[in-house]
Amino acid sequence: MRDCFCTINLDQEEVYRTQVVEKSLSPFFSEEFYFEIPRSFQYLSFYVYDKNVLQRDLRIGKVAIKKEDLCNHSGKETWFSLQPIDSNSEVQGKVHLELKLNELITENGTVCQQLVVHIKACHGLPLVNGQSCDPYATVSLVGPSRNDQKKTKVKKKTSNPQFNEIFYFEVTRSSSYTKKSQFQVEEEDIEKLEIRIDLWNNGNLVQDVFLGEIKVPVNVLRNDSSHQAWYLLQPRDNGNKSSKTDDLGSLRLNICYTEDYVLPSEYYGPLKTLLLKSPDVQPISASAAYILGEICRDKNDAVLPLVRLLLHHDKLVPFVAAVAELDLKDTQDANTIFRGNSLATRCLDEMMKIVGGHYLKVTLKSILDEICESSKSCEIDPIKLKEGDNVENNKENLHYYVDKLFNTIVKSSMSCPTVMCDIFYSLRQMATQRFPNDPHVQYSAVSSFVFLRFFAVAVVSPHTFHLRPHHPDAQTIRTLTLISKTIQTLGSWGSLSKSKSSFKETFMCEFFKMFQEEGYIIAVKKFLDEISSTETKESSGTSEPVHLKEGEMFKRAQGRTRIGKKNFKKRWFCLTSRELTYHKQPGSKDAIFTIPVKNILAVEKLEESSFNKKNMFQVIHTEKPLYVQANNCVEANEWIDVLCRVSRCNQNRLSSFHPSAYLNGLWLCCQETSEHTPGCKPCTAGIPADIQIDIDEDREAERIYSLFTLSLLKLQKMEEACGTIAVYQGPQKEPDDYSNFVIEDSVTTFKTIQQIKSIIEKLDEPHEMYRKKRSSSAKYGSKENPIIGKTS
């Protein structure tokens, strides 16, 4: 048995490493790595190692895929046979060489032919034992009866050595020199001579390591007196090509490789404009963004660039709302709402991955670290219990983790990104309209995403969301799976108010009874209310405001009249999802003062020096700030937290505020006299919710152009289907023709397809010009397009 791990390498440079799977000859890694390739490379390689504690790790074998071949394997899951690792298999890099033939007249008047070999440089030599090598080259003139060898100096610690050394070899003697005839090498000699250059790593005290070789026949000079080119280094022929190598096993990989040539921004204007109009197109199925999802072989290919582009221009929320509404039309049962893999759900999944990373880290990471780094057993399946395990202790451990994780999640709404809240709000409203008689659908529409597709997935595979560096070990995976199943059931159970859990396993049903309390349902609903409540949008008028917090505090009088006193008075405060009010006493129906939640611009602490009072905060709204003093610091923080959460989605929130009060005609903090002077300090609340992501929109547009180009045939079929539907109104005879497309309005869809085709045709021209320019500039033998040298 072996303790195996894998590395991912660009050529010989390691860029990622999996975790070690212990004591297995069939290790299952299940690790996913996504990375931009920052430099040119020849091979993407995967090495399989056997971990050795005392000595160097043993390399079992490798899979090396040429850059040119990556597109052949992209998007496919393939078993690759492991190849042996030796100096030959590690050959990479190229050599810059110049050859010349000179004429020399000897003392007795005969002509001698001299071969001049100028080895200029190498580029991209492999790493040796993970470090840059100490390369040198041997230069040999090889023929039937000669082998003259010379050697360069050693260059230290470099993969791109500059040799710049010249070597001279006597080639042959021909007839006496005459001024009339140009020098010519005899045919029989030139065919038999070749220059061989071998690259080596200087081993100092150990054996030198072979880095590659090239062989150039001298007859390249037959028609020219000089020859200069870059050559790819080749492996050496050891005479054992026919012998079978041992079966080293195989490695299953799923590689997705994309390479795009991004043009200047002005080329993508029409394509971006057409895509960004998508949310406003009626019906949404006739929009360019929706059509892209329809014609791509794999919807996921279209989703990532589409989501990123729409997100960058604040168009994602209306687009997802529109395509989700299309999903709802086909949903007959409220219990299956948003459970399929449609364009809407995939866009939402991708959006949550992009903007929800920070949210997951602040919410889950510390608890997941605790679970993964502790060795507590949580197995409660009697069949899977190990010898000596106590099921009651395991149940206690599992209950502790689930409870801790659940409580953290339901208190995390403050960190939920604004764009997620906006989409959840839209989903909730649409679900309520689609199923008006189901009181729970407003919650299940949101929980199906935030619990089932977001938190539960992140818990069971934390490495995928960068919450942990590696795929967890088997015992931890089992613990996380049990926690994830319980959390997602709590989310759906709380949102659907089911009387019993949906677990198939008896032991999980028994365990879940520990959570079947009203408090868990209330907590889930409160959390879902908070992350899907956006009061800046039009309320339907049918939903009741959600009660969030109430309590007694002191407020400073507003002093609306000149003679009004501005002292502090005790009032009963009440906050709902719609408004903040205060009353003279608890239970009083008539509010003295009301601030609509949509008018709140910021909620911040107030410096103690303003009124010489502790635990103060300010509610900044469209009128004068409301200054409030809580009874203690905990209560102050709770109020600030809940007020920030409920007003987080307001569109006109301030980015700066005054930390002190405006008294006697000036701000105490910055001494400005105007009451309308912008704040002097950045706002603190809402920062985690406003996620900024770095998006290169031209690159996303280029990816979308590539996808349209690859799917032109299907786009053509969709165009024909629109024509068929528009002309032929009778029963559909051949369902294959267009039944796979969603075409609600054939005329509008046809027009959009025409626009797409026109834009793609215009973009084809600069791409073709670039390809021609690139191919003509990369001359065979140049550094960009080196000669594949003669092998042994």
Side-chain angles (χ1 to χ4, degrees):
M1 305 301 277
R2 285 172 159 170
D3 299 336
C4 296
F5 68 92
C6 292
T7 65
I8 303 175
N9 297 51
L10 283 177
D11 297 322
Q12 269 78 46
E13 182 187 7
E14 183 181 320
V15 290
Y16 283 107
R17 180 177 290 217
T18 70
Q19 92 289 5
V20 178
V21 176
E22 296 180 346
K23 297 178 182 176
S24 176
L25 293 178
S26 302
F28 180 72
F29 296 104
S30 185
E31 297 210 38
E32 188 173 300
F33 301 96
Y34 171 84
F35 59 101
E36 301 289 328
I37 298 176
R39 62 170 177 81
S40 59
F41 69 102
Q42 291 181 47
Y43 290 92
L44 179 66
S45 303
F46 303 84
Y47 291 77
V48 180
Y49 287 83
D50 183 5
K51 183 77 176 171
N52 194 317
V53 179
L54 301 176
Q55 299 174 10
R56 184 180 293 169
D57 298 330
L58 174 66
R59 297 194 294 183
I60 298 171
K62 75 169 185 178
V63 173
I65 304 171
K66 280 186 178 179
K67 179 186 174 183
E68 296 77 25
D69 296 334
L70 280 171
C71 56
N72 299 330
H73 302 290
S74 187
K76 301 171 186 174
E77 197 168 279
T78 311
W79 282 101
F80 293 89
S81 296
L82 290 177
Q83 302 300 316
I85 301 169
D86 54 30
S87 57
N88 263 356
S89 72
E90 298 292 271
V91 167
Q92 69 171 60
K94 44 198 167 189
V95 182
H96 193 194
L97 186 69
E98 184 179 14
L99 301 180
K100 284 183 182 177
L101 275 173
N102 289 341
E103 299 174 340
L104 295 177
I105 303 174
T106 61
E107 293 177 359
N108 59 8
T110 59
V111 178
C112 168
Q113 290 77 47
Q114 186 182 57
L115 178 64
V116 182
V117 181
H118 183 184
I119 177 164
K120 295 188 172 185
C122 292
H123 183 82
L125 296 180
L127 302 175
V128 177
N129 298 328
Q131 297 186 0
S132 293
C133 50
D134 296 338
Y136 69 90
T138 58
V139 183
S140 308
L141 180 64
V142 181
S145 58
R146 64 188 296 180
N147 189 349
D148 300 341
Q149 189 178 88
K150 302 178 188 292
K151 179 182 170 183
T152 68
K153 293 177 182 176
V154 176
K155 299 294 179 179
K156 293 287 185 181
K157 302 297 176 193
T158 177
S159 294
N160 304 307
Q162 300 291 320
F163 291 111
N164 246 335
E165 294 192 41
I166 300 174
F167 301 97
Y168 301 92
F169 297 91
E170 184 182 299
V171 179
T172 185
R173 298 184 183 279
S174 65
S175 57
S176 296
Y177 176 77
T178 62
K179 289 186 178 180
K180 289 182 181 179
S181 66
Q182 291 291 327
F183 156 74
Q184 288 183 345
V185 178
E186 295 174 10
E187 286 294 319
E188 57 180 358
D189 290 330
I190 198 168
E191 293 298 334
K192 296 174 183 176
L193 292 176
E194 65 181 11
I195 286 291
R196 193 181 79 202
I197 295 176
D198 294 82
L199 266 293
W200 298 85
N201 176 59
N202 183 39
N204 291 322
L205 300 176
V206 295
Q207 189 176 356
D208 291 356
V209 177
F210 173 73
L211 301 178
E213 69 172 24
I214 63 165
K215 294 183 179 182
V216 185
V218 177
N219 67 10
V220 295
L221 296 165
R222 182 186 297 162
N223 300 318
D224 204 343
S225 60
S226 69
H227 169 76
Q228 182 176 203
W230 283 87
Y231 283 82
L232 271 182
L233 286 168
Q234 300 295 311
R236 187 170 45 187
D237 179 12
N238 293 324
N240 59 355
K241 284 185 179 178
S242 59
S243 63
K244 287 187 178 180
T245 57
D246 293 335
D247 182 7
L248 301 173
S250 51
L251 183 66
R252 186 169 61 169
L253 301 168
N254 191 340
I255 302 165
C256 294
Y257 175 76
T258 57
E259 185 178 294
D260 293 311
Y261 302 110
V262 184
L263 301 170
S265 293
E266 58 267 22
Y267 286 97
Y268 300 108
L271 179 60
K272 285 189 282 190
T273 302
L274 183 64
L275 289 163
L276 294 173
K277 282 181 182 175
S278 295
D280 305 318
V281 174
Q282 295 289 340
I284 192 67
S285 60
S287 68
Y290 193 91
I291 290 169
L292 178 66
E294 281 286 281
I295 63 172
C296 277
R297 185 175 60 86
D298 185 348
K299 273 190 172 65
N300 289 331
D301 291 341
V303 164
L304 180 58
L306 202 55
V307 166
R308 291 171 72 89
L309 186 67
L310 293 172
L311 199 56
H312 185 69
H313 290 275
D314 296 324
K315 296 283 187 180
L316 184 65
V317 175
F319 176 73
V320 171
V323 291
E325 195 166 13
L326 200 60
D327 278 7
L328 281 171
K329 287 180 183 177
D330 298 328
T331 306
Q332 303 304 319
D333 183 359
N335 289 323
T336 62
I337 192 167
F338 300 128
R339 291 296 171 97
N341 271 328
S342 64
L343 183 63
T345 57
R346 291 186 191 195
C347 282
L348 254 163
D349 287 348
E350 200 56 55
M351 178 274 293
M352 291 192 294
K353 282 181 186 175
I354 293 170
V355 304
H358 177 79
Y359 181 27
L360 287 174
K361 281 179 183 175
V362 298
T363 309
L364 302 181
K365 192 171 189 320
S366 60
I367 302 172
L368 290 174
D369 286 343
E370 180 187 342
I371 294 167
C372 293
E373 288 162 15
S374 96
S375 55
K376 287 182 180 178
S377 175
C378 296
E379 184 55 75
I380 57 173
D381 183 352
I383 299 171
K384 295 184 178 180
L385 282 174
K386 293 179 182 176
E387 191 176 343
D389 272 1
N390 185 312
V391 71
E392 292 303 319
N393 288 347
N394 291 359
K395 201 177 283 187
E396 283 292 320
N397 293 339
L398 187 58
H399 182 271
Y400 166 77
Y401 286 141
V402 170
D403 218 36
K404 190 171 183 178
L405 206 62
F406 175 80
N407 286 320
T408 306
I409 289 171
V410 295
K411 291 176 182 175
S412 70
S413 59
M414 174 63 187
S415 303
C416 186
T418 305
V419 68
M420 286 174 64
C421 296
D422 289 345
I423 290 181
F424 292 155
Y425 173 84
S426 298
L427 296 179
R428 183 174 180 167
Q429 299 302 309
M430 289 187 295
T432 306
Q433 289 170 12
R434 176 71 179 84
F435 299 101
N437 298 323
D438 190 326
H440 305 299
V441 74
Q442 59 175 320
Y443 296 112
S444 59
V446 179
S447 70
S448 63
F449 286 103
V450 77
F451 278 102
L452 189 65
R453 293 173 177 263
F454 188 58
F455 284 121
V457 178
V459 168
V460 83
S461 55
H463 58 292
T464 307
F465 292 85
H466 309 293
L467 299 172
R468 294 289 300 169
H470 292 299
H471 190 69
D473 60 47
Q475 181 178 310
T476 308
I477 291 170
R478 178 63 179 163
T479 299
L480 293 174
T481 302
L482 294 171
I483 293 169
S484 177
K485 288 170 79 171
T486 313
I487 290 292
Q488 74 181 57
T489 306
L490 269 172
S492 60
W493 184 73
S495 64
L496 296 174
S497 275
K498 290 181 180 178
S499 58
K500 60 180 181 179
S501 66
S502 57
F503 290 113
K504 295 175 183 176
E505 306 97 330
T506 308
F507 65 88
M508 285 302 292
C509 291
E510 286 298 313
F511 174 69
F512 195 72
K513 286 178 182 178
M514 300 171 79
F515 299 93
Q516 288 179 320
E517 298 173 7
E518 190 66 23
Y520 288 100
I521 296 177
I522 293 169
V524 168
K525 288 187 175 181
K526 185 170 180 288
F527 169 67
L528 296 174
D529 283 332
E530 289 168 353
I531 63 168
S532 60
S533 175
T534 310
E535 289 298 323
T536 54
K537 295 181 171 59
E538 287 296 318
S539 174
S540 62
T542 57
S543 61
E544 289 295 316
V546 180
H547 182 273
L548 299 173
K549 192 171 177 62
E550 61 182 348
E552 194 174 64
M553 294 186 291
F554 295 86
K555 65 94 191 175
R556 183 172 183 261
Q558 295 291 297
R560 290 184 178 80
T561 63
R562 285 180 180 273
I563 58 172
K565 291 183 179 179
K566 297 183 180 179
N567 57 348
F568 283 82
K569 293 181 179 177
K570 187 185 288 186
R571 292 289 180 257
W572 186 261
F573 284 78
C574 182
L575 176 66
T576 70
S577 56
R578 288 188 189 170
E579 60 191 17
L580 171 67
T581 58
Y582 60 74
H583 313 256
K584 281 190 175 180
Q585 55 192 16
S588 174
K589 292 185 179 179
D590 298 323
I592 299 175
F593 187 70
T594 300
I595 303 175
V597 164
K598 64 181 179 182
N599 291 350
I600 295 175
L601 306 177
V603 183
E604 297 288 346
K605 289 182 179 179
L606 192 70
E607 287 181 355
E608 188 179 330
S609 57
S610 297
F611 300 104
N612 292 321
K613 292 179 184 291
K614 293 184 176 181
N615 309 317
M616 287 205 66
F617 62 91
Q618 53 183 321
V619 181
I620 305 168
H621 56 109
T622 48
E623 297 180 26
K624 291 183 178 181
L626 173 66
Y627 298 128
V628 182
Q629 183 188 25
N631 293 300
N632 54 64
C633 63
V634 172
E635 187 179 64
N637 284 336
E638 285 178 353
W639 273 100
I640 293 170
D641 181 52
V642 70
L643 281 163
C644 286
R645 271 187 277 154
V646 75
S647 63
R648 177 190 55 249
C649 299
N650 291 354
Q651 293 177 348
N652 297 318
R653 281 186 67 91
L654 298 177
S655 57
S656 60
F657 76 107
H658 291 284
S660 290
Y662 183 78
L663 295 174
N664 303 322
L666 59 82
W667 291 101
L668 298 179
C669 44
C670 58
Q671 305 301 304
E672 292 287 338
T673 54
S674 172
E675 195 170 358
H676 303 292
T677 301
C680 56
K681 186 178 179 180
C683 286
T684 53
I687 289 173
D690 299 326
I691 303 299
Q692 297 296 322
I693 56 170
D694 184 24
I695 292 177
D696 181 348
E697 56 177 324
D698 293 335
R699 183 173 174 178
E700 305 306 333
E702 172 61 34
R703 185 92 292 268
I704 290 169
Y705 158 76
S706 299
L707 291 169
F708 273 129
T709 305
L710 289 168
S711 308
L712 273 178
L713 190 62
K714 208 165 180 185
L715 189 67
Q716 184 70 37
K717 286 185 178 178
M718 195 174 190
E719 185 182 32
E720 291 168 4
C722 289
T724 306
I725 294 169
V727 174
Y728 178 68
Q729 300 294 333
Q732 194 176 316
K733 293 179 180 177
E734 295 183 19
D736 302 319
D737 287 349
Y738 52 85
S739 61
N740 292 329
F741 299 121
V742 176
I743 302 173
E744 294 178 289
D745 183 333
S746 59
V747 176
T748 310
T749 306
F750 185 84
K751 286 179 181 176
T752 306
I753 292 172
Q754 289 286 301
Q755 289 176 293
I756 293 168
K757 288 175 71 177
S758 173
I759 289 169
I760 297 307
E761 283 173 15
K762 286 177 183 174
L763 273 171
D764 284 341
E765 294 172 18
H767 279 88
E768 188 58 36
M769 286 173 62
Y770 175 80
R771 275 191 286 269
K772 285 180 180 177
K773 182 182 175 183
R774 188 167 178 265
S775 60
S776 62
S777 63
K779 180 185 171 185
Y780 190 52
S782 66
K783 191 174 183 180
E784 294 75 24
N785 188 17
I787 296 169
I788 300 174
K790 178 185 172 185
T791 55
S792 300

